[in-house]
């Protein structure tokens, strides 16, 4: 029940903030990105070079979490990609050991608390991955993040995790990416900071940031390349179904006009008021496909999703424990395709959302996830999404 109160508070705060933002929320649209493949490759290589390990030995990666609410895909995707790569020791770290409630759905177990992590790694982690959190100003999180950055950890803020990074004082005077909706807020909060359009990930003096939710896999593949080399990154990209992990990204479709603002408010007000679905899971379930599908379906505003397993909690492919309850009769199953590689599951899911709720709702989910239209148009048989 506490989790639902927290999620409700987040939604209420989002609606209030959005209403107060008026015409400035999310900042105005940008001009289209110039096509420059050579520049994109140079930017990727600069990112890779900037994130190469500084210390000898196997790197340590801390995926930071807030127990009361951490964005599901921001946490599960980086953790799963890095665990699959097997190039570093990867731990989820939170103020308290144990469970982490994820939003917009699901709950995992197995976080290490700050004190325990610090005892095991007194020199600190080599990298800290920072997802979006239900509260971007938690003092324990900010203090621990500041401490690790001072010890030399490179920090990577995923999506609205940039807000958490900023609250720790690590964006002032730096170039940043971040989710498109946070652009104005981050510029107002952080003197001398500058927004970089048309790049999925950016690094500036040991602090990296990414655009929306779907940028986490490309950014993590670039980190895998930095730690394990290009062949390791290429092999993993093929396994995941990713064609490219350069930072190329057209930021111009991602903004709010009047119609989209109304859609935003209605979507948030209707959150989880519709159907309740279950996703059937078992040991070895793929974290990446699961997170992308559940996140997208839940962001339609029409459904809530619970993990279901007759055996109770299950261990995902990454080794993380996902909490699950026995399946309830009469609940619809969330569709997952076993024939797809993990990342293309999102394209298939978006097609299914369009078939069920219409192209406008599909395009809204893509807007929230900051996901480009091209691959979805191909997956859906050539239909052209609007955003």
């Amino acid at each position: 029940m506490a989790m639902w109160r927290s999620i409700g508070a987040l939604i209420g705060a989002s609606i209030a903030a959005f209403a107060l933002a008026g015409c400035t929320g999310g900042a105005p649209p940008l001009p289209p990105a110039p096509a420059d493949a050579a520049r994109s490759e140079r930017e990727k290589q600069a990112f890779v070079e900037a994130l190469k390990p500084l210390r000898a030995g196997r790197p340590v990666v801390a995926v930071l979490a807030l127990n009361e609410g951490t964005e599901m895909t921001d946490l599960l995707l980086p953790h799963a990609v890095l665990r699959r790569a097997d190039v570093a020791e990867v731990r989820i770290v939170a103020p308290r050991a144990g469970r982490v409630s994820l939003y917009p759905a699901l709950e995992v177990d197995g976080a290490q608390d700050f004190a325990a992590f610090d005892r095991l790694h007194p020199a600190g982690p080599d990298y800290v991955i920072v997802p979006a959190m239900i509260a971007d100003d938690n003092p324990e999180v900010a203090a621990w993040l500041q401490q690790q950055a001072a010890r030399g950890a490179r920090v990577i803020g995923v999506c609205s995790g940039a807000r958490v990074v900023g609250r720790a004082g690590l964006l002032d005077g730096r170039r940043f990416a971040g989710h498109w909706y946070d652009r104005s807020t981050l510029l107002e909060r952080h003197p001398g900071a500058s927004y970089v359009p048309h790049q999925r990930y950016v690094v500036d003096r040991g602090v990296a940031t990414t655009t929306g939710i779907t940028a986490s896999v490309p950014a993590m593949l670039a980190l895998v390349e930095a730690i394990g080399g290009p062949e390791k990154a290429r092999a993993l990209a093929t396994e995941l179904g990713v064609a490219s992990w350069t930072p190329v990204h057209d930021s111009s479709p991602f903004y709010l006009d009047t119609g989209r603002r109304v859609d935003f408010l209605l979507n948030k007000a209707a959150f989880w008021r519709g159907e309740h679905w279950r996703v059937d899971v078992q040991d070895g379930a793929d974290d990446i496909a699961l997170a992308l599908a559940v996140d997208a379906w839940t962001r339609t505003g029409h459904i809530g999703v619970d993990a279901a397993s007759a055996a109770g909690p299950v261990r995902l492919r990454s080794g993380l424990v996902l909490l699950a309850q026995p399946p309830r009769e009469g609940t619809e199953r969330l569709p997952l395709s076993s024939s797809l590689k993990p990342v293309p599951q999102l394209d298939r899911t978006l097609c299914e959302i369009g078939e069920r709720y219409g192209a406008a709702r599909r395009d809204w989910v893509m807007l929230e996830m900051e996901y480009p239209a091209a691959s979805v148009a191909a997956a859906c048989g050539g239909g052209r999404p609007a955003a």
Side-chain angles (χ1 to χ4, degrees):
M1 186 60 69
M3 183 186 82
W4 301 117
R5 285 197 297 268
S6 297
I7 295 294
L10 174 68
I11 295 166
S14 297
I15 294 172
F18 191 87
L20 289 171
C23 292
T24 63
L30 297 165
D36 190 342
R39 179 176 178 273
S40 180
E41 184 62 30
R42 288 196 303 272
E43 292 286 355
K44 187 196 82 169
Q45 289 306 316
F47 186 91
V48 166
E49 289 297 322
L51 291 181
K52 285 188 172 178
L54 300 177
R55 299 186 286 209
R58 188 173 174 84
V60 176
V61 180
V63 182
L64 188 54
L66 182 65
N67 299 90
E68 292 79 11
T70 301
E71 209 287 329
M72 173 180 55
T73 313
D74 292 354
L75 184 144
L76 293 183
L77 267 58
H79 179 263
V81 170
L82 293 171
R83 291 278 292 181
R84 280 195 198 209
D86 194 25
V87 294
E89 179 184 340
V90 186
R91 294 285 181 269
I92 293 177
V93 187
R96 300 187 311 279
R99 297 184 177 189
V100 176
S101 294
L102 305 176
Y103 66 86
L106 308 185
E107 188 172 16
V108 293
D109 198 358
Q112 204 169 36
D113 64 64
F114 293 153
F117 182 91
D118 292 343
R119 285 193 298 271
L120 286 172
H121 304 286
D126 296 271
Y127 306 92
V128 181
I129 312 298
V130 186
M133 298 177 187
I134 198 168
D136 62 25
D137 58 352
N138 180 275
E140 291 179 273
V141 168
W144 191 83
L145 185 53
Q146 288 169 343
Q147 182 184 57
Q148 306 320 311
R151 290 174 172 172
R154 264 73 65 77
V155 173
I156 304 174
V158 176
C159 187
S160 290
R163 298 170 72 107
V164 182
V165 172
R167 292 292 197 183
L170 301 177
L171 282 189
D172 295 0
R174 282 186 166 93
R175 299 161 66 242
F176 69 90
H179 190 279
W180 61 267
Y181 184 73
D182 297 329
R183 192 190 340 156
S184 294
T185 298
L186 293 173
L187 288 170
E188 290 167 5
R189 285 181 180 176
H190 304 295
S194 58
Y195 170 72
V196 180
H198 307 312
Q199 286 191 212
R200 292 193 285 190
Y201 50 79
V202 173
V203 63
D204 187 348
R205 290 167 290 152
V207 176
T209 45
T210 82
T211 57
I213 291 166
T214 52
S216 57
V217 170
M220 290 305 106
L221 285 168
L223 179 57
V224 168
E225 183 173 342
I227 298 171
E231 290 303 320
K232 172 69 77 171
R234 273 193 288 271
L236 182 58
T238 299
E239 180 183 337
L240 298 178
V242 176
S244 170
W245 60 98
T246 71
V248 65
H249 176 67
D250 185 2
S251 302
S252 61
F254 302 101
Y255 64 94
L256 291 179
D257 55 21
T258 301
R260 286 172 169 180
R261 291 173 195 282
V262 172
D263 283 346
F264 180 95
L265 290 172
L266 292 175
N267 197 49
K268 295 309 177 189
F271 204 68
W272 286 334
R273 288 186 184 173
E275 306 168 77
H276 213 85
W277 288 10
R278 76 177 196 259
V279 57
D280 293 328
V281 291
Q282 58 187 357
D283 285 344
D286 188 279
D287 315 50
I288 298 170
L290 174 70
L292 288 171
V294 171
D295 205 331
W297 278 108
T298 309
R299 287 179 185 276
T300 64
H302 291 287
I303 66 167
V305 180
D306 291 325
S309 167
V314 302
R315 192 168 294 276
L316 298 172
R317 176 167 175 165
S318 71
L320 191 61
V321 172
L322 174 70
L323 300 181
Q325 303 296 325
R328 291 185 295 173
E329 291 298 325
T331 53
E332 185 164 353
R333 294 180 181 178
L334 183 145
L336 281 174
S337 173
S338 59
S339 64
L340 289 173
K341 292 181 178 181
V343 172
Q345 178 67 58
L346 178 58
D347 294 337
R348 180 65 257 161
T349 297
L350 289 165
C351 295
E352 291 165 347
I353 288 171
E355 291 165 3
R356 188 179 185 99
Y357 296 123
R361 183 52 48 192
R362 175 200 62 200
D363 294 348
W364 176 260
V365 173
M366 292 169 62
L367 184 68
E368 281 206 17
M369 298 182 81
E370 197 161 347
Y371 192 58
S375 59
V376 178
C380 296
R384 181 177 176 80

